[in-house]
C-alpha cells in the first residue's frame, strides 16, 4: 500500500526520523521531513502531500499558521501533535481545518492509526468534492440546455417538446453534445 506523499514537520530531527521510519515500515511512501514551517511550506507547494503531520511548536512559529496554510493550499489530511496544555487552544484555533489534534508524546500505534484515519477522511472528502463538482457541472449544462430550449420556444415559435426534440436531433445529426448545440442556439438568439 502506498498512501501517497507524506510530509512530517518537526523541529527535532530525531523525532521526525523516528516518525518517518515508523510510517515507512507501515507502507507509507514517499515520506519526507521538514524541520521548520518555512521549509514545510516550500515542500507542500512543490509536492502536494496527501498527509501532513505537524509536531508543534516549530522553531520558526507555533504551527497554527502552518496548519491554516496547509489546509488552504493543499488537499492533505492534517495531523497536529501538540503539548497537552495547548490542545484546547489548538482545537479552537484550527476547528475549521478538520485537522486531527493529538497530545504529545505520541506512540507508534497512535501515529499509524491516526495516519490511516486522516488519509481515509481525506480520501472520502476528495471523492465527495469530485462528485459535487460533477453534479455542479451537469446542473450548469442542464441550465444552458433549458435556456436554449426556452429561446427556441420564445423566438423560434416552437412548443416546449418541439424545442427539446430539436436540440436532441441537432446533437445527433451533427454528432455534437447537446450542450454545444444549446450554446450555438444561445449565441444565435442573444
Amino acid at each position: 500500500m502506498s498512501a501517497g506523499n507524506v510530509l512530517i514537520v518537526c523541529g527535532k530531527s530525531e523525532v521526525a526520523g523516528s516518525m518517518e521510519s515508523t510510517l515507512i515500515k507501515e507502507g507509507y511512501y514517499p515520506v519526507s521531513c521538514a524541520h521548520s514551517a518555512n521549509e514545510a511550506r516550500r515542500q507542500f507547494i512543490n509536492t502536494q502531500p496527501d498527509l501532513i503531520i505537524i509536531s508543534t511548536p516549530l522553531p520558526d512559529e507555533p504551527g497554527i499558521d502552518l496548519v491554516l496554510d496547509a489546509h488552504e493550499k493543499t488537499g492533505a489530511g492534517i495531523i497536529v501533535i501538540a503539548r497537552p496544555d495547548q490542545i484546547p487552544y489548538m482545537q479552537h484555533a484550527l476547528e475549521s481545518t478538520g485537522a486531527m489534534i493529538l497530545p504529545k508524546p505520541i506512540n507508534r500505534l497512535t501515529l499509524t492509526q491516526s495516519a490511516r484515519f486522516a488519509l481515509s477522511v481525506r480520501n472520502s472528502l476528495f471523492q465527495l468534492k469530485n462528485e459535487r463538482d460533477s453534479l455542479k457541472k451537469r446542473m450548469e449544462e442542464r441550465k444552458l440546455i433549458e435556456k436554449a430550449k426556452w429561446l427556441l420556444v420564445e423566438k423560434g415559435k416552437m412548443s416546449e417538446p418541439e424545442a427539446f426534440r430539436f436540440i436532441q436531433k441537432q446533437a445527433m445529426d451533427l454528432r455534437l453534445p447537446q450542450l454545444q448545440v444549446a450554446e450555438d442556439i444561445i449565441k444565435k438568439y442573444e
Side-chain angles (χ1 to χ4, degrees):
M1 142 190 111
S2 175
N5 206 343
V6 179
L7 173 61
I8 298 169
V9 187
C10 180
K12 297 181 180 175
S13 333
E14 63 279 356
V15 174
S18 174
M19 285 193 279
E20 180 181 21
S21 66
T22 297
L23 291 172
I24 289 172
K25 284 178 190 169
E26 289 294 319
Y28 293 88
Y29 181 81
V31 179
S32 58
C33 295
H35 301 293
S36 70
N38 286 330
E39 184 183 347
R41 283 183 181 92
R42 283 190 299 275
Q43 283 194 35
F44 70 62
I45 287 171
N46 293 328
T47 60
Q48 288 296 311
D50 298 309
L51 176 64
I52 300 172
I53 301 170
I54 303 169
S55 180
T56 63
L58 297 165
D60 52 349
E61 70 175 65
I64 290 174
D65 289 338
L66 177 63
V67 175
L68 294 171
D69 285 348
H71 173 69
E72 181 183 317
K73 296 176 181 162
T74 74
I78 303 171
I79 298 173
V80 179
I81 304 168
R83 294 189 319 257
D85 62 314
Q86 289 294 306
I87 290 184
Y89 172 69
M90 291 276 197
Q91 287 173 330
H92 178 72
L94 302 174
E95 186 174 43
S96 66
T97 65
M100 181 184 298
I101 304 169
L102 303 173
K104 284 183 179 184
I106 186 169
N107 63 39
R108 292 173 194 265
L109 181 61
T110 302
L111 176 65
T112 57
Q113 287 178 334
S114 298
R116 278 193 195 98
F117 181 74
L119 282 169
S120 174
V121 168
R122 176 223 180 246
N123 291 339
S124 294
L125 288 173
F126 189 72
Q127 184 177 0
L128 285 171
K129 181 185 176 295
N130 285 341
E131 288 173 13
R132 182 202 66 198
D133 292 347
S134 173
L135 284 172
K136 233 172 147 176
K137 181 181 175 194
R138 289 185 6 225
M139 285 178 61
E140 291 302 318
E141 289 174 0
R142 191 76 218 146
K143 283 180 186 176
L144 286 174
I145 293 169
E146 286 294 313
K147 183 177 181 178
K149 179 178 78 174
W150 288 107
L151 282 169
L152 288 172
V153 168
E154 288 175 14
K155 298 185 180 186
K157 306 298 181 209
M158 296 181 189
S159 69
E160 183 180 347
E162 288 172 333
F164 187 66
R165 181 68 187 130
F166 177 81
I167 293 170
Q168 287 179 320
K169 185 159 180 8
Q170 285 289 103
M172 285 188 293
D173 291 348
L174 300 172
R175 297 179 186 206
L176 296 172
Q178 285 185 20
L179 177 63
Q180 190 171 343
V181 171
E183 288 171 340
D184 291 344
I185 291 168
I186 293 168
K187 284 177 191 170
K188 178 181 176 183
Y189 285 107
E190 284 194 333

